[in-house]
Amino acid sequence: MDTKIRAITDSNQQYLAHADVSRAIASVPGSASVALAHPLFDANLIPASLRAYLPTSFSMLTDPAVRSRYNENFVVHEMQKFDGFFSNLGGFSLSQEQREACTHYQKLIGVCIKHIRASQLTLEMLLERAKSLHDKPRAQYFARAVWLITQAYSRKLDEAKRIDFDSMSRRH
């Protein structure tokens, strides 16, 4: 568990979503994972003498405030790191909301890019699909951002005369 969480957090590798925490907890051997995942589990009730033996990443799993601080710092870092990219996607600039969505959902964006390219989806198709989702405005922001990123990614591939085999393999 500690190794998986630290691999993410020590390298500032990704936004730490609830699903990531759940996977790390599920990887704990034996009945400990059941105890950690139990809705009544309260890490504050663990005696200090025992807490001293727990890995440093334990608070990342059990304290939402610690996870929230990490994620806020991650978003700031990513926004700075990719400012040039977000500011010029083929002449377009992503809004602040779109930039934040990208930093929160980077894994999802990678999957979306592959799906958009493999299925040859248009922006209109993406926006139509966004209409069926619960949070329509956020879904539309996300669809537009992913579309712009996909277009920029496709242009970069073309300029470098490279092929995205992952996208090609899903076309047929």
Side-chain angles (χ1 to χ4, degrees), residues 9-114:
T9 59
D10 286 354
S11 63
N12 215 23
Q13 180 183 342
Q14 71 182 53
Y15 187 87
L16 191 60
H18 290 287
D20 300 315
V21 172
S22 296
R23 278 191 298 277
I25 288 173
S27 73
V28 174
S31 59
S33 63
V34 174
L36 289 170
H38 195 280
L40 297 178
F41 174 77
D42 185 350
N44 294 324
L45 298 177
I46 297 173
S49 58
L50 178 59
R51 204 172 309 143
Y53 292 100
L54 297 173
T56 55
S57 66
F58 187 73
S59 63
M60 192 70 72
L61 300 176
T62 59
D63 187 344
V66 171
R67 195 167 48 252
S68 180
R69 273 193 307 278
Y70 165 80
N71 283 336
E72 287 171 14
N73 290 334
F74 174 81
V75 169
V76 169
H77 175 264
E78 292 293 290
M79 298 283 271
Q80 292 170 346
K81 180 178 172 182
F82 292 104
D83 182 61
F85 180 74
F86 290 148
S87 296
N88 185 13
L89 289 167
F92 295 98
S93 179
L94 296 184
S95 70
Q96 188 69 19
E97 293 87 2
Q98 289 171 325
R99 292 171 188 223
E100 287 181 22
C102 290
T103 61
H104 286 263
Y105 302 109
Q106 62 182 331
K107 286 181 186 174
L108 177 61
I109 290 172
V111 171
C112 289
I113 289 171
K114 289 178 183 177

